[in-house]
Amino acid sequence: MKNLSICINHVYPFITTEEITGYKAQMKTFISALHNKTGSGNDFLGWLDLPSTISASDLERIKKLSNNLRQEIEILVVIGIGGSYSGAKAVIEALSHTFSHLKKDRHKPLVLYAGQNLSEDYITELLEILEKKSYAVIVISKSGTTTEPAIAFRILKNHLENKIGKTETGGKIIAITDTKRGALRELAENEGYITFVIPDDVGGRYSVLTPVGILPIAIAGFDVYRLLEGARVMQSLTGENVSFEDNPATIYAAIRNALYNKGKTIEILVNYSPKLHFFSEWWKQLYGESEGKENKGIFPASVNFTTDLHSMGQYIQEGKRNIFETVISILTPNSELRIPADSGNLDKLNYMSGKRIDEVNKMAELGTRIAHVDGGVPNIRIEIPELDEFFLGQLIYFFEKACALSGYTLGINPFDQPGVEAYKKNMFALLGKPGFEEETEKIKNRVLDD
Ligand code: PA5
């Protein structure tokens, strides 16, 4: 069976084999700390076993609910921010027809998102679209108190109640939240919404394989069993008993840290398929929020090639030499299209006629790798045979496991996000939220000084 593979040939000569294997003992310790739950953040390790522990009853409910909703609605609105929406969006966008919003024969509901920004124009324009469509809402918030999704939900709840009547909304609103705590839990219980639980020991950015990701992905019409199967395979390929050399997660975590210690402080996740754009957004959320702490951490960035070879490519080739690239390469695309011959050949492309577009894309990838490595940018290549549910499941679990190991190697807790509170405190103070009176006074003076 083919699986995700990692190619590290092009991290040399920036780091040596000895520098990579130098992490072997540490990785052994950290992987045991994860599995024995003895490391920092050990109350947030539920994601480690998720692919094999997600409950059969949850899966059955998800299957039934998604089959019903797919018959009933034209649009699904997923409300959430950070880890509460980015995993679902990553998978749905990777698997969807690029122009699905324009396809007439589309049977799946179109998935739209809300609560991931505070733009008045965004939400107004969303309401404009929803006015003429049948829709359901999944509202996701582990804490149940996050401002952005709470505002979006208040607006959409009102809209839906006015549109179809309060009694009908119960079947069209699904709340995914904490088992017991939080405003969303209370609201869902009072209003009788359908609910699913985010396990206590799974943080937002590690939650894509819980109902947080699985339910929207299933409603969008994709095979969540295959997604979980892929993740399960990766769970065993990155398990505690797999050797350092054979475990792609330990190798990736070790190489990232070795490069970081050589001054390569920015990692760019590269794709050659625009379908992976939002997968990179998920990856940035996972790595940025997990590792950027205590004045440490690799800055996660992303580009879509070849598009960004005509913009960021210049910087990557010749700018400050503090970056490395991790390329997600899809071996075989899902469709086949060849470049036609042309009798005039005025565009001088006949030397490529008969070739698949993907062959040109692969040569762009190879040519770019050689150029960037020559220019001082180390390259890690992660290859998947094709872009489907199974290999997305592998990618997700691989990146999650490597992120945890890499965070431990950096010496930080990869499962908390204390820095996210700073902007919230200021925003609440500026808005005059009850309980923030002291902060309001202080920040008013700051604003006057500005
Ligand atoms: O990874 C995380 O924990 C965060 O990105 C959260 O998912 C995000 O802040 C949203 O939080 P909540 O689900 O509590 O609304």
Side-chain angles (χ1 to χ4, degrees), residues 227-252:
L227 185 80
L228 288 164
E229 200 182 322
R232 254 191 311 274
V233 169
M234 195 44 62
Q235 185 183 0
S236 95
L237 292 175
T238 58
E240 205 182 349
N241 299 324
V242 180
S243 72
F244 172 80
E245 291 78 5
D246 292 331
N247 184 334
T250 52
I251 290 290
Y252 179 54

Side-chain angles (χ1 to χ4, degrees), residues 3-291:
N3 291 308
L4 170 155
S5 60
I6 180 164
C7 168
I8 61 167
N9 296 345
H10 308 285
V11 300
Y12 311 109
F14 306 97
I15 46 175
T16 63
T17 306
E18 292 67 39
E19 279 165 330
I20 301 172
T21 50
Y23 285 95
K24 199 169 170 169
Q26 254 181 309
M27 285 299 156
K28 198 172 162 47
T29 311
F30 295 145
I31 210 160
S32 308
L34 276 181
H35 287 271
N36 300 323
K37 301 195 184 338
T38 52
S40 53
N42 56 3
D43 42 352
F44 281 101
L45 293 175
W47 57 273
L48 262 178
D49 303 316
L50 269 180
S52 27
T53 58
I54 183 165
S55 85
S57 70
D58 261 2
L59 281 173
E60 198 45 42
R61 278 181 72 213
I62 286 171
K63 194 168 144 192
K64 273 202 187 124
L65 183 61
S66 55
N67 286 343
N68 291 342
L69 281 177
R70 291 185 57 214
Q71 307 299 319
E72 295 168 5
I73 56 168
E74 294 167 275
I75 291 183
L76 171 71
V77 186
V78 176
I79 300 179
I81 196 163
S84 287
Y85 91 105
S86 61
K89 184 159 185 172
V91 174
I92 292 168
E93 297 291 325
L95 297 174
S96 293
H97 189 288
T98 306
F99 306 102
S100 59
H101 56 296
L102 296 174
K103 264 178 74 109
K104 288 221 165 51
D105 58 346
R106 183 174 47 80
H107 297 297
K108 299 159 187 168
L110 188 65
V111 183
L112 302 178
Y113 302 85
Q116 83 284 32
N117 64 55
L118 286 167
S119 159
E120 194 162 331
D121 289 345
Y122 183 97
I123 193 98
T124 307
E125 288 167 15
L126 176 64
L127 289 174
E128 216 175 283
I129 296 299
L130 295 178
E131 198 51 47
K132 297 179 204 82
K133 302 281 183 191
S134 55
Y135 73 95
V137 172
I138 304 183
V139 52
I140 307 168
S141 179
K142 176 155 174 151
S143 63
T145 56
T146 309
T147 309
E148 292 91 335
I151 292 174
F153 183 55
R154 182 185 273 211
I155 291 170
L156 287 188
K157 171 182 175 310
N158 277 346
H159 185 265
L160 195 57
E161 284 176 0
N162 290 333
K163 191 174 155 82
I164 63 172
K166 197 168 164 58
T167 44
E168 293 298 311
T169 52
K172 296 284 186 296
I173 294 182
I174 302 131
I176 308 182
T177 186
D178 186 81
T179 359
K180 292 186 199 75
R181 291 157 300 176
L184 182 58
R185 164 66 49 196
E186 200 183 332
L187 186 64
E189 276 168 14
N190 288 350
E191 302 278 349
Y193 299 148
I194 304 161
T195 58
F196 287 88
V197 163
I198 308 175
D200 282 347
D201 57 356
V202 179
R205 59 191 174 275
Y206 289 84
S207 68
V208 50
L209 301 175
T210 71
V212 170
I214 297 293
L215 181 63
I217 295 167
I219 298 176
F222 300 111
D223 187 343
V224 294
Y225 292 88
R226 283 288 287 165
L227 185 80
L228 288 164
E229 200 182 322
R232 254 191 311 274
V233 169
M234 195 44 62
Q235 185 183 0
S236 95
L237 292 175
T238 58
E240 205 182 349
N241 299 324
V242 180
S243 72
F244 172 80
E245 291 78 5
D246 292 331
N247 184 334
T250 52
I251 290 290
Y252 179 54
I255 288 178
R256 295 179 83 244
N257 280 279
L259 290 169
Y260 178 66
N261 288 330
K262 286 278 173 78
K264 303 291 183 191
T265 55
I266 297 174
E267 177 177 13
I268 304 180
L269 192 71
V270 179
N271 68 65
Y272 282 82
S273 164
K275 285 178 184 286
L276 286 175
H277 174 82
F278 285 99
F279 190 85
S280 298
E281 294 302 308
W282 169 81
W283 173 88
K284 283 193 283 194
Q285 203 263 334
L286 175 66
Y287 278 75
E289 206 167 43
S290 297
E291 288 195 322

